[in-house]
Every structure is written in C-alpha cells, then in structure tokens.
Amino acid sequence: MASGTVTNTASSGGSNDVSLEEPKKMTREDWRKKKELEEQRKLGNAPAEVDEEGKDINPHIPQYISSVPWYIDPSKRPTLKHQRPQPEKQKQYSSSGDWYKRGVQEHAVATRYRKGACENCGALTHKKKDCMERPRKVGAKYTGMNIAPDEHVQPQLMFDYDGKRDRWNGYNPEEHMKIVEEYSKVDLAKRTLKAQKLQEELASGKLEQVERDHNSEDEDEDKYADDIDMPGQNFDSKRRITVRNLRIREDIAKYLRNLDPNSAYYDPKTRAMRENPYANTGKNPDEVGYAGDNFVRYTGDTISMAQTQLFAWEAYDKGSEVHLQADPTKLELLYKSFKVKKEDFKAQQKESILEKYGGQEHLDAPPAELLLAQTEDYVEYSRHGTVIKGQEKAIACSKYEEDVKINNHTCIWGSYWKEGKWGYKCCHSFVKYSYCTGEAGKEIASTEASLLEEQPSEEEHLTKPKTLMEIHQEKQKEKKKKKHKKSSNSDSEGEEKKKQEKLKKALNAEEARLLHVKEIMQLDERKRPYNSLYETREPTEEEMEAYRMKRQRPDDPMASFLGQ
C-alpha cells in the first residue's frame, strides 16, 4: 500500500510539472535509422530538421549543441533557442533620441496639499526628511498654503557603447536656426544699405537710367569670381573656399596619349593603363613622360622587394620561420647569405664541369666584335661623323681628358712624386708644361739631390771662428738660464709642499666624514637627521683624491687590512 501511494503521487506530480526522468535508451535499429537520416540530411537528400519555432536546423551542427539537455526538458524537440541570447537577460538601453531635459518645466502650482507629499513644503518629489527648504512653524500639510512646486527629476539614461560616444546626442537642431537667422539679418542689412546707396547715386545723377534694371544680387562683389580660375583650382563664390582638383587642365589624359585602338588598354573604372602607350612608336620609355603604370611597378626597389617576398614564401615552405613584415632584418641577412651560397655553388659546379670536360679556352676567347671587327648593330652617321641612329658614343668616365701626353712626354703628369711634389716619371721634371728631357733629366735631378745633401757639411767648414766678445755673451746667457731653472725648481718644490698639505687636510676631512656616516648608519632610520643644510659645491682635486684613497672596494683582496 505504501509503495502504491508513492507511485501515484509521483505520477500525479509528473502530469503537472516537467519530468526529470532520463530518456529511454534507443534500440539498435532505431539508432541505425537515425544515423542514416542524419547522413541523408547532410548530403541534402532529406529535408532538414525543424525546431519548435519552424526554423530549419543546419544538419552539420553537432548534436550536443542542437539538442536540449534532458535535465531541462527531455520532451522538447531539437532547437537552437537555448543557444541564442535570452531576452530576459538582455540589458535594456535608452534610445538615441532620449536625453536629459533642459530647464524646469513650468506646471501649475498646486493650491492644496496632496497625499504623500512633503509635510513641510508640499512638493511631491521628496519627503519631509529630504526637504531642503527652511522648516516651517506649521507645515503645508496643515495650512495648505504656499505649496512649493515639484522639482524636475532627470531620467536615468543608460546608453550602449555607441550611445555613450555619440557626439551629437542631445543636440537640439533648433539652436542652429538662431545662427541662420543672425546671418540672414546681416545679409538683409547689407542689401538695404546697397539699395540705399544706389538710390543716392541715382538721385545725384552719377548712374544712368539703364543700370536701374540690374539686379542688386548680380552685382555682388564675387560676381566675376569664376573668371579668375587658376589651373588646378576651383573657386566657389557661394562658400568662399578654394578646392584643389585631382589634376590640372594642362595634363594629358592617359587615353589621349596614343589614339591607336590597338595600343595599351585603358580601364575607365580604375583609370589605369598598365602597358606603355608608346610601345609601338619606337620611343624610349626613359624619355617619355608616361610609360604606363607597370613601368613604375618594375622600377626602383620594387623588383628586389618582390624577390625577397618570394624567397620568404619559399623558405617558409621549407621550414624556416621568416616573415617579411615581422622579421625584415633576419630575412634580409638570410637572403644575402643564400645568394652568396648560390653563387659559390654555381661557381663550383662550373669549375667541376670544366675540369671534367675541358673548354676553358672557349670561355676566355675575346668577343666576336673584336675577332671579326664587325657587329650586327646598325649605326647611322651624318656627313660630319655624328651618330644619327643606333648606338651612341660611350660616355666618358671623367669630364677631364685622360692619358693625354704633351711635349714629347711618355708618361702623364702626376706619374712621379717626391718630397711632396708631383711630376713626370719619364724625366723626373716637376714643372707641369715642361719639355721632356728623358734620361738626361733624370741624371740632372739625381745630381741636384746629391748636391743638396752635401751642402750642409760644406757650410760647417766655411763657418767663421767666434770672437772673444761673442764667447763671453754666450756664457752670460747660459748662466741666466741656469738661474732661471733653479728658481723654477724652487717654485715647483713650494707648490708640491702646498699640495701635500692640502691633501693631508682633505684626508682628515674624509676620515671625519666616514666616521660621521658610520655613526648615522648605526642610528634608527626615524632618528637620523636630514641632509638639507649640507653645503653644495663642486669638490676640489684634493678632496676627490682623498675620496679615491679612502674608498673601499668589495672586490679588493686587501680590503680587510685597510682599518688596521
């Protein structure tokens, strides 16, 4: 009986509430059919499953996402509603038109006390304990007089990310009408002044009657503003601004450079002409003002950049972690080493082939132009010898003429240098435009050099003997020099003594400072004195020397013996 009672209670509760029993286990046949149906749905042969709202469920969505958990409601069909944002959990934001109200709303002031209002002043927006008015002797609740107006309570606005950053939120467009009205008034005043001035001129007879039909608006000061357009600019008389166009009128459009329909293609949508419009005219691309968009793409460092990017892709495919934007320096170094190794490999391969099969003599042979004294290059000359068509004369390496030998010289000027002078190697002459003397000039130059070397010894022998007066004067000079040396030595000794005394004083001061620092460091941090009254000046040389002598170094092996 007890067990039956419990069963009935459970069944009656399950009829009203959601049953929390686990779903029954499917048979093997049902499981196979379910899997086949899923496969057919994925292939598109069977219609997709529909949820409780009538929406199709993508068959590729996994079951653990589409099926509702059994502990929530096992009777529900597969759906994605539980995966979508729940409306009760979404935040409610204020609309873009909502904003705080400006100013106090003028309502009719209440004449009698209202239930629930402030007992002191009679306003409905606060209670007696929050009232900011002076406490009355008898409150408005009992007198019913001088009821205070209700305060204006601003709404509590809650905006989303875009609403908080909307710079025009709360802007009243009617405020701009004040500026428009102000400018219209100024314009009207200008027109009335202009009309009054015209009437005065007409009355005085300065203007003819024919000009009376002209409209005052056409006679504005900016009437002829459009006639002063400059190339590449547009002057707007209404807004008083100057606008820069994309190109000036003197520029030739790309599609007008070559009117041949078989020339380079022009794309009107992108305004691009990739090929050279002068390709079939025989003009050199370097001499033309425009040679196509591809000419710019394949000049400068564009090609090397593309080669580096291609090398980065190939290296990444082979396992090297390099990237053009992430590691440009690493990629550049890797690419340079790769090119060096590639050239070395090619050279080794070439040498190995030549060693095995021979044929080096064919590679070292001069070009066919030198062997046969003729080429296939067409060159057309004028009667004066200048090149009309074909290969031009090679540009000289220097603006000065080279290897020019003048005045019978066999070497150029500057081929010989001696003792800071330039000359000719053929004759050892240091005169630039001199005539070459050959071997004779070399002999003369060598003899002159030997004579200059021997000349000082001869001068020594030719010196006259000194007189007794000259010898006496020289002895007096030597005595003066010796006295000066002694005085300078005594001065230097006095300076050294002074330096030693100063150094002793500095060492004593440094020892006193170190003792003072040691005493301070033993005190508590809160009892240490301040250093604000210390003298701030540049230390002298003696003080710096004393500091260096007394300074202890932790890495010094004799540091422990300094205090002994």
Side-chain angles (χ1 to χ4, degrees):
M1 291 294 289
S3 60
T5 308
V6 172
T7 305
N8 293 336
T9 306
S11 61
S12 64
S15 61
N16 298 330
D17 303 328
V18 178
S19 178
L20 296 178
E21 295 180 0
E22 294 186 11
K24 294 181 180 180
K25 197 170 183 180
M26 297 175 64
T27 60
R28 186 173 295 178
E29 187 68 20
D30 294 342
W31 180 262
R32 186 180 59 79
K33 289 181 180 179
K34 184 180 178 182
K35 286 295 180 184
E36 288 178 357
L37 182 60
E38 287 178 2
E39 292 295 331
Q40 293 297 322
R41 283 174 176 166
K42 288 180 180 179
L43 295 172
N45 298 330
E49 193 174 5
V50 182
D51 62 358
E52 58 184 4
E53 296 180 357
K55 297 178 181 178
D56 291 345
I57 298 176
N58 192 336
H60 298 282
I61 293 176
Q63 183 183 2
Y64 69 90
I65 293 177
S66 61
S67 60
V68 182
W70 63 270
Y71 51 83
I72 293 177
D73 192 357
S75 63
K76 279 191 176 180
R77 298 172 60 187
T79 180
L80 297 176
K81 187 177 180 180
H82 58 282
Q83 297 288 347
R84 299 190 183 99
Q86 304 302 319
E88 62 272 6
K89 293 183 180 180
Q90 296 299 311
K91 292 183 179 180
Q92 298 296 327
Y93 296 106
S94 303
S95 62
S96 59
D98 297 339
W99 196 247
Y100 303 103
K101 296 180 181 179
R102 294 185 177 87
V104 180
Q105 241 175 349
E106 296 181 355
H107 290 297
V109 181
T111 56
R112 60 179 183 176
Y113 180 78
R114 293 160 292 179
K115 190 177 181 180
C118 176
E119 297 178 0
N120 184 41
C121 64
L124 273 172
T125 51
H126 62 269
K127 297 297 182 183
K128 184 179 179 180
K129 64 179 181 178
D130 301 325
C131 186
M132 302 296 293
E133 194 176 322
R134 179 182 58 83
R136 301 182 184 180
K137 189 175 182 180
V138 181
K141 180 180 179 181
Y142 305 104
T143 59
M145 297 170 64
N146 297 331
I147 303 296
D150 299 338
E151 292 97 346
H152 178 67
V153 181
Q154 294 286 2
Q156 296 292 331
L157 299 180
M158 186 176 179
F159 293 104
D160 55 355
Y161 183 87
D162 294 329
K164 291 176 183 177
R165 288 155 182 81
D166 188 5
R167 58 190 296 226
W168 294 106
N169 200 354
Y171 176 72
N172 189 8
E174 295 178 359
E175 294 179 1
H176 183 66
M177 294 306 296
K178 297 177 182 178
I179 302 172
V180 175
E181 290 174 1
E182 183 181 352
Y183 275 87
S184 62
K185 288 177 182 178
V186 173
D187 194 14
L188 183 61
K190 283 183 180 179
R191 290 183 183 180
T192 53
L193 286 172
K194 201 163 193 178
Q196 187 178 356
K197 189 176 180 181
L198 283 172
Q199 291 294 336
E200 291 175 358
E201 291 179 354
L202 281 171
S204 61
K206 291 183 181 179
L207 295 176
E208 296 180 358
Q209 192 69 22
V210 183
E211 296 179 356
R212 201 177 287 177
D213 298 330
H214 287 286
N215 191 4
S216 62
E217 293 180 0
D218 297 337
E219 294 180 357
D220 193 18
E221 57 185 359
D222 297 328
K223 177 180 177 182
Y224 302 104
D226 293 333
D227 297 337
I228 62 171
D229 281 354
M230 295 174 63
Q233 293 187 352
N234 181 22
F235 186 86
D236 192 351
S237 61
K238 302 294 182 184
R239 291 179 291 175
R240 293 174 178 270
I241 59 172
T242 304
V243 184
R244 175 71 181 172
N245 292 334
L246 295 176
R247 63 180 180 86
I248 61 176
R249 303 255 177 216
E250 285 76 14
D251 287 345
I252 302 173
K254 295 177 182 178
Y255 50 86
L256 295 178
R257 291 185 177 272
N258 192 351
L259 300 178
D260 185 8
N262 296 324
S263 63
Y265 173 73
Y266 175 76
D267 187 11
K269 185 175 181 181
T270 58
R271 298 180 182 178
M273 182 181 283
R274 293 181 180 142
E275 298 177 359
N276 185 9
Y278 303 101
N280 300 326
T281 58
K283 295 182 179 179
N284 191 3
D286 297 329
E287 301 174 355
V288 179
Y290 177 77
D293 296 337
N294 285 343
F295 181 79
V296 181
R297 293 178 184 174
Y298 299 122
T299 54
D301 293 335
T302 314
I303 299 173
S304 60
M305 189 79 171
Q307 291 175 352
T308 310
Q309 180 66 73
L310 185 63
F311 170 75
W313 289 337
E314 292 175 354
Y316 185 81
D317 292 337
K318 293 177 181 178
S320 298
E321 292 292 332
V322 289
H323 197 272
L324 181 60
Q325 281 76 30
D327 293 321
T329 310
K330 179 182 176 183
L331 179 62
E332 186 68 23
L333 294 173
L334 192 63
Y335 186 46
K336 284 182 180 179
S337 63
F338 169 76
K339 286 195 290 186
V340 171
K341 290 179 181 178
K342 188 177 181 181
E343 290 174 0
D344 295 340
F345 174 75
K346 284 184 177 180
Q348 291 177 2
Q349 192 177 21
K350 183 180 178 181
E351 290 175 1
S352 62
I353 292 171
L354 290 173
E355 288 175 2
K356 187 174 183 180
Y357 299 102
Q360 182 69 32
E361 62 274 13
H362 302 290
L363 298 176
D364 297 338
E369 293 86 3
L370 297 177
L371 291 173
L372 305 176
Q374 61 183 2
T375 60
E376 295 181 359
D377 298 333
Y378 176 75
V379 184
E380 187 176 342
Y381 296 91
S382 66
R383 64 177 64 184
H384 302 290
T386 58
V387 178
I388 299 174
K389 190 176 181 181
Q391 186 178 7
E392 296 181 358
K393 187 179 179 181
I395 301 171
C397 297
S398 174
K399 66 178 181 179
Y400 303 103
E401 294 180 350
E402 297 179 358
D403 297 334
V404 177
K405 301 166 185 175
I406 59 173
N407 296 338
N408 203 25
H409 285 285
T410 56
C411 297
I412 62 171
W413 168 259
S415 58
Y416 180 69
W417 186 85
K418 185 178 180 182
E419 297 179 356
K421 296 180 182 179
W422 293 102
Y424 295 98
K425 189 177 182 181
C426 54
C427 60
H428 290 186
S429 174
F430 297 106
V431 182
K432 187 170 185 181
Y433 294 104
S434 64
Y435 195 83
C436 184
T437 55
E439 295 294 332
K442 289 183 179 180
E443 291 176 1
I444 292 169
S446 62
T447 55
E448 286 180 355
S450 62
L451 287 172
L452 289 172
E453 290 176 358
E454 294 174 0
Q455 190 173 0
S457 61
E458 292 178 358
E459 288 179 355
E460 290 176 359
H461 293 291
L462 294 173
T463 54
K464 294 180 180 180
K466 295 180 181 180
T467 60
L468 293 173
M469 188 65 183
E470 290 176 352
I471 294 168
H472 178 68
Q473 287 177 354
E474 287 180 358
K475 287 181 178 179
Q476 291 294 330
K477 287 180 181 179
E478 289 177 359
K479 287 180 180 179
K480 286 181 180 179
K481 285 181 181 178
K482 288 179 180 179
K483 287 182 180 180
H484 182 69
K485 284 183 180 178
K486 287 180 180 178
S487 62
S488 61
N489 291 333
S490 62
D491 293 341
S492 61
E493 289 176 0
E495 288 179 358
E496 288 180 0
K497 287 181 181 179
K498 288 181 180 179
K499 285 184 180 178
Q500 291 292 334
E501 291 176 359
K502 288 182 181 179
L503 183 59
K504 286 181 181 179
K505 290 180 181 179
L507 286 170
N508 295 332
E510 182 66 18
E511 289 178 359
R513 189 188 69 83
L514 291 174
L515 289 173
H516 182 61
V517 169
K518 190 174 181 181
E519 291 174 359
I520 289 175
M521 292 302 294
Q522 290 176 357
L523 293 174
D524 190 12
E525 291 183 356
R526 293 170 291 183
K527 295 181 180 179
R528 288 178 188 172
Y530 292 103
N531 299 329
S532 59
L533 298 177
Y534 273 42
E535 184 181 2
T536 56
R537 61 177 177 81
E538 187 177 0
T540 61
E541 293 182 1
E542 291 79 9
E543 290 176 352
M544 290 299 298
E545 184 65 23
Y547 169 74
R548 294 191 193 98
M549 292 171 68
K550 293 292 181 180
R551 184 178 57 177
Q552 292 186 3
R553 296 176 180 82
D555 55 346
D556 189 2
M558 303 295 291
S560 59
F561 299 98
L562 288 175
Q564 296 179 5

